[in-house]
């Protein structure tokens, strides 16, 4: 069935009273009683009949009637395009996949050719409207982000970024960008008759690219894209003053996607290798490694290393984890098949090397970007591990939602390390609505707090702990259900705040309150990879004193990645990772005692 956008309903604006009540409930386990009482007064004032809240709510209802989606554009603008943090580490998620069975450049090029062919095959399905409409709980999902993954790029600006989509023009691009040893190449991937190139054609072109990119004495232009957005925006304008640079940057931005052919990384012990591999995809390993092979503004970048490591990096303003997981699933299936087509015997044009003219100013921009990226990379602690004791079968056997079970386990783990609950968020899709993106689910609930406080208390019986665990898991499931109905609280609160700003009003007091500031300081950012492959997602924490935890539950094991910043003395990725493993084993013992 071809996807139709209109078959998906519009996203509703949740009722104001329900959101405000949900907001206060979310604060209960986080704030001391006196602060909570203060916030409660502010919320009641904001929400009283005929008050500021209901006036803003009316305007949001009108906005919802007159736009495709009342919150998405605001959300993308506010969360991504106006955010000035570097895309590297802070924003772009990486997905690292199981190592392929090769360890030399010849096999690297063979696999890279197959990977390119697989992505082009997926794009052809997207263009023809042949992707099956995805469903969640029996409801069709909005499919409109799929075509936007290709030939799109984020463009830096002084105050905010923008997104450029080149795939929708009459003459949509027919090339990809390949990067090796910091050198960029424009590679046409369609023949003159419009047919896709075969794997062997692509392979012979990658071979030519390799022979044209031996030395790494080139300036690593890609490093510029890892800068603070304001800094990169200024450097971008300087760069584009030159015609050669303009053409090269435009070729990268318009390309369908990028492929990074990475040099081998230092071999280390197997247990550390998974973490190193994820970090390598995430940021390239530093300026002396492969960071110069990235263009962080690009929506899709695939990374293939000579040592068999591979993965991809994506830019979140344009695409999301679910679409990327669907694409990955297609790639993995495609890679199992032999190359179907014989290569036509047509001489192919040489891949076009992209040149840059580098003056003193740009040279200085690059040097600064190198220093800043290395500082950021050295500051990030990445810990990836495969928890092999059990997977999602254990909670299922005990009639518990696997995702909610892991979320409660993460709350207990954080508490065991820090002796407090913290603002933490999980992501729920809003694609059951037209143009919908995501919503946060706030994992700390008063039920989770009751369970966490009881769990390590020897005076509490096993039966009571079991009951509290069930209640905590069910409370989380209830929040998930609300979010999937479009009734989460965070996007609605953001909408109310932005509506006030749009009307030229001063920011409502409820958003200037310390409670709101604390509640949106996400110390624990979590994400589940919706993939039935052994992949692991990885990204940096949202705040300097926080963590990011990603997990991918399979039937009998769970892949985890934990990140934290070294500059914060309180947080430690290794400590949290070990605590998560111990906590999961303790929960197994609670559910299925061995004695």
């Amino acid at each position: 069935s071809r996807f139709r956008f209109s078959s998906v309903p519009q996203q509703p604006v949740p009722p104001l009273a329900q959101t405000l009540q949900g907001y206060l409930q979310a604060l209960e386990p986080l704030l001391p009683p006196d602060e909570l009482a203060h916030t409660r007064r502010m919320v009641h004032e904001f929400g009283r009949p005929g008050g500021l809240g209901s006036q803003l709510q009316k305007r949001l209802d009108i906005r919802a009637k007159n736009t495709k989606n009342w919150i998405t554009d605001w959300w993308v603008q506010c969360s991504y395009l106006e955010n000035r943090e570097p895309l590297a580490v802070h924003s772009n998620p990486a997905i690292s996949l199981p190592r392929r069975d090769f360890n030399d450049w010849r096999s690297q090029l063979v696999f890279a050719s197959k990977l390119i062919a697989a992505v082009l095959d997926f794009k052809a399905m997207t263009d023809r409207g042949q992707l099956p409409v995805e469903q969640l709980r029996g409801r069709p999902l909005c499919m409109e982000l799929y075509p936007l993954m290709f030939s799109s790029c984020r463009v830096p600006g002084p105050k905010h970024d923008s997104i450029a989509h080149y795939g929708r023009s009459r003459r949509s691009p027919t090339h990809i960008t390949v990067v090796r040893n910091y050198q960029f190449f424009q590679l046409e991937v369609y023949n003159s008759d419009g047919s896709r190139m075969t794997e062997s054609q692509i392979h012979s072109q990658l071979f030519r690219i390799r022979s044209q990119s031996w030395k790494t004495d080139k300036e690593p232009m890609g490093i510029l894209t890892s800068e603070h957005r304001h800094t990169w925006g200024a450097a971008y304008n300087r760069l584009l003053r030159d015609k050669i640079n303009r053409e090269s940057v435009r070729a990268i931005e318009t390309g369908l996607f990028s492929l990074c052919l990475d040099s081998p990384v230092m071999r280390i012990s197997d247990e550390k290798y998974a973490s190193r591999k994820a970090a390598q995809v995430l940021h390239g390993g530093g300026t002396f490694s492969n960071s110069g092979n990235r263009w962080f503004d690009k929506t899709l970048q695939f990374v293939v290393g000579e040592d068999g490591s591979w993965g991809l990096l994506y830019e979140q303003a344009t695409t999301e984890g679910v679409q990327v997981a669907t694409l990955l699933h297609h790639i993995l299936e495609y890679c199992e098949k032999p190359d179907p087509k014989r290569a036509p015997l047509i001489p192919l044009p040489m891949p076009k090397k992209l040149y840059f003219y580098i003056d003193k100013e740009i040279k200085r921009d690059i040097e600064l970007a190198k220093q800043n990226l290395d500082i950021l990379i050295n500051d990030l602690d990445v810990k990836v591990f495969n928890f092999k004791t059990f997977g999602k079968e254990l909670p299922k056997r005990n009639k518990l939602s696997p995702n909610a079970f892991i979320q409660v386990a993460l709350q207990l783990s954080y508490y065991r390390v820090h002796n407090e609950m913290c603002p933490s968020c999980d992501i729920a899709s809003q694609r059951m609505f037209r143009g919908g993106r995501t919503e946060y689910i706030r994992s700390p609930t008063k039920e989770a707090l009751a369970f966490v406080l009881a769990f390590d208390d020897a005076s509490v019986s096993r039966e009571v702990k079991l009951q509290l665990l069930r209640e905590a898991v069910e409370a989380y499931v209830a929040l998930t259900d609300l979010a999937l109905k479009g009734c989460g609280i965070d996007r609605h609160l953001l909408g109310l705040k932005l509506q006030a700003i749009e009307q030229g009003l001063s920011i409502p007091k409820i958003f200037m309150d310390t409670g709101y500031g604390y509640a949106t300081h996400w110390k624990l950012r979590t994400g589940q990879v919706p993939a039935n492959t052994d992949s692991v997602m990885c990204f940096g924490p949202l705040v300097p004193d926080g963590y990011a935890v990603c997990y991918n539950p399979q039937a009998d094991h769970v892949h985890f990645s934990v990140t934290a910043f070294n500059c914060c003395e309180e947080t430690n990725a290794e400590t949290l990772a070990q605590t998560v493993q111990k906590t999961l084993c303790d929960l197994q013992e609670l559910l299925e005692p061995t004695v």
Side-chain angles (χ1 to χ4, degrees):
S1 54
R2 291 171 72 94
F3 49 81
R4 294 178 302 283
F5 303 139
S6 55
S7 61
V8 181
Q10 280 198 302
Q11 184 159 346
V13 182
L16 180 65
Q18 180 182 303
T19 293
L20 296 178
Q21 186 192 349
Y23 173 52
L24 287 173
Q25 282 172 350
L27 291 176
E28 272 179 43
L30 297 174
L31 293 183
D34 54 333
E35 276 186 45
L36 189 61
H38 174 73
T39 299
R40 192 172 270 126
R41 285 194 297 275
M42 290 208 161
V43 170
H44 287 322
E45 172 60 26
F46 180 76
R48 68 183 168 77
L52 179 56
S54 61
Q55 291 165 34
L56 296 173
Q57 178 80 0
K58 278 191 191 115
R59 299 297 284 268
L60 281 186
D61 287 332
I62 294 167
R63 180 180 165 89
K65 285 193 183 75
N66 298 324
T67 51
K68 181 172 71 177
N69 186 298
W70 64 273
I71 189 64
T72 289
D73 288 350
W74 270 353
W75 159 249
V76 170
Q77 188 70 22
C78 183
S79 254
Y80 300 123
L81 303 181
E82 288 176 1
N83 190 337
R84 306 283 77 198
E85 293 267 45
L87 293 185
V89 173
H90 290 287
S91 182
N92 291 8
I95 298 181
S96 169
L97 285 112
R99 201 177 145 238
R100 307 297 293 192
D101 191 18
F102 61 79
N103 214 340
D104 65 296
W105 66 265
R106 285 185 176 79
S107 310
Q108 175 193 29
L109 298 190
V110 170
F111 176 64
S113 313
K114 198 156 192 78
L115 175 63
I116 293 168
V119 181
L120 295 177
D121 188 58
F122 183 83
K123 183 182 185 295
M125 287 172 66
T126 308
D127 292 346
R128 293 196 295 262
Q130 288 175 334
L131 284 185
V133 173
E134 292 169 332
Q135 299 211 327
L136 184 66
R137 300 186 174 185
R139 294 164 65 186
L141 298 180
C142 178
M143 301 288 283
E144 64 180 44
L145 283 184
Y146 280 101
L148 304 179
M149 293 167 100
F150 301 102
S151 292
S152 55
C153 196
R154 189 150 150 181
V155 179
K159 289 199 172 63
H160 61 82
D161 293 358
S162 55
I163 305 167
H165 292 291
Y166 298 99
R168 295 189 272 193
S169 54
R170 255 207 337 251
R171 296 195 51 202
S172 51
T174 52
H175 70 277
I176 66 168
T177 314
V178 179
V179 205
R180 179 173 179 265
N181 282 345
Y182 316 156
Q183 292 156 75
F184 289 78
F185 293 83
Q186 178 175 337
L187 173 61
E188 290 294 330
V189 285
Y190 294 87
N191 292 304
S192 50
D193 63 358
S195 63
R196 301 199 305 274
M197 281 192 184
T198 63
E199 282 171 43
S200 52
Q201 282 180 304
I202 295 168
H203 180 255
S204 63
Q205 294 292 68
L206 292 181
F207 200 88
R208 286 165 131 184
I209 285 173
R210 182 181 161 83
S211 63
Q212 281 190 36
S213 57
W214 282 115
K215 291 196 168 68
T216 49
D217 58 355
K218 298 288 180 282
E219 288 292 347
M221 295 304 297
I223 299 259
L224 288 172
T225 65
S226 71
E227 264 287 20
H228 183 276
R229 301 308 290 172
H230 180 77
T231 313
W232 166 222
Y236 183 83
N237 289 338
R238 282 194 284 280
L239 193 62
L240 263 53
R241 286 193 291 223
D242 179 82
K243 183 170 179 286
I244 294 173
N245 295 344
R246 259 201 314 279
E247 285 172 6
S248 294
V249 168
R250 180 51 52 96
I252 296 168
E253 290 179 342
T254 55
L256 296 167
F257 54 90
S258 288
L259 172 78
C260 316
L261 292 172
D262 277 9
S263 307
V265 242
M266 238 172 46
R267 281 301 302 188
I268 38 174
S269 66
D270 280 353
E271 60 157 337
K272 284 203 177 129
Y273 183 64
S275 304
R276 168 69 64 87
K277 209 169 53 151
Q280 190 65 30
V281 179
L282 183 66
H283 50 56
T287 56
F288 292 104
S289 189
N290 290 298
S291 295
N293 290 347
R294 308 282 181 271
W295 193 269
F296 288 101
D297 296 10
K298 197 72 193 141
T299 305
L300 280 179
Q301 299 187 84
F302 296 89
V303 178
V304 180
E306 258 182 57
D307 57 356
S309 61
W310 72 291
L312 75 112
L313 194 60
Y314 65 94
E315 198 285 302
Q316 293 189 98
T318 309
T319 194
E320 278 167 5
V322 183
Q323 286 79 7
V324 171
T326 306
L327 165 60
L328 264 178
H329 183 67
H330 183 82
I331 291 170
L332 290 161
E333 283 193 338
Y334 190 96
C335 284
E336 296 307 309
K337 301 181 210 158
D339 182 7
K341 293 198 286 291
R342 293 288 300 272
L345 294 167
I346 331 166
L348 296 170
M350 201 68 175
K352 184 182 169 193
K353 191 168 196 171
L354 302 178
Y355 289 98
F356 291 94
Y357 169 68
I358 296 168
D359 62 17
K360 271 211 222 55
E361 280 185 290
I362 293 165
K363 174 90 175 117
R364 197 184 61 227
D365 291 333
I366 293 171
E367 287 311 312
L368 199 61
K370 281 164 129 176
Q371 288 171 23
N372 289 339
L373 181 60
D374 283 340
I375 290 168
L376 177 58
I377 287 173
N378 289 329
D379 191 23
L380 184 75
D381 191 12
V382 180
K383 176 69 186 163
V384 171
F385 64 94
N386 183 1
F387 177 77
K388 294 180 180 168
T389 313
F390 62 83
K392 55 188 171 190
E393 289 304 325
L394 174 91
K396 275 184 180 170
R397 264 201 312 274
N398 289 279
K399 311 236 175 337
L400 296 168
S401 146
N403 188 50
F405 173 77
I406 292 175
Q407 283 289 335
V408 172
L410 291 176
Q411 290 298 310
L412 176 54
S413 304
Y414 186 93
Y415 190 87
R416 283 174 150 185
V417 176
H418 293 282
N419 216 21
E420 62 173 14
M421 297 281 263
C422 75
S424 23
C425 57
D426 186 19
I427 309 287
S429 177
Q430 299 288 279
R431 282 175 59 220
M432 59 294 295
F433 305 113
R434 198 177 318 159
R437 295 292 293 262
T438 57
E439 173 62 281
Y440 284 153
I441 305 172
R442 289 174 167 267
S443 337
T445 56
K446 57 178 193 295
E447 291 84 355
L449 179 60
F451 168 68
V452 161
L453 292 173
F455 190 76
D456 288 318
D457 183 344
S459 68
V460 180
S461 69
R462 176 176 170 260
E463 288 68 31
V464 170
K465 287 178 188 176
L466 266 175
Q467 183 56 30
L468 290 172
L469 172 63
R470 289 199 179 280
E471 284 168 12
V473 167
E474 277 155 23
Y476 188 83
V477 169
L479 286 179
T480 307
D481 291 344
L482 276 173
L484 294 178
K485 288 186 185 123
C487 289
I489 61 173
D490 281 282
R491 300 297 176 266
H492 189 194
L493 290 171
L494 176 70
L496 292 162
K497 179 181 171 183
L498 294 177
Q499 182 61 49
I501 292 169
E502 181 150 298
Q503 286 174 233
L505 305 172
S506 56
I507 294 176
K509 283 191 188 125
I510 176 178
F511 301 116
M512 304 303 282
D513 174 39
T514 50
Y516 184 76
Y518 181 71
T520 50
H521 184 81
W522 305 106
K523 282 192 181 182
L524 187 56
R525 170 194 196 185
T526 69
Q528 181 182 352
V529 187
N532 33 12
T533 59
D534 279 326
S535 55
V536 61
M537 191 190 267
C538 176
F539 42 61
L542 284 171
V543 294
D545 55 344
Y547 298 94
V549 180
C550 285
Y551 51 95
N552 177 0
Q554 300 295 312
D556 61 355
H557 60 279
V558 188
H559 292 279
F560 280 95
S561 78
V562 180
T563 60
F565 290 117
N566 293 320
C567 66
C568 175
E569 283 177 17
E570 287 85 60
T571 59
N572 185 303
E574 179 76 40
T575 307
L576 186 64
Q578 285 173 356
T579 309
V580 167
Q581 294 179 71
K582 179 179 186 319
T583 299
L584 287 169
C585 292
D586 292 348
L587 290 175
Q588 179 185 26
E589 185 62 31
L590 175 69
L591 288 167
E592 300 177 357
T594 45
V595 282

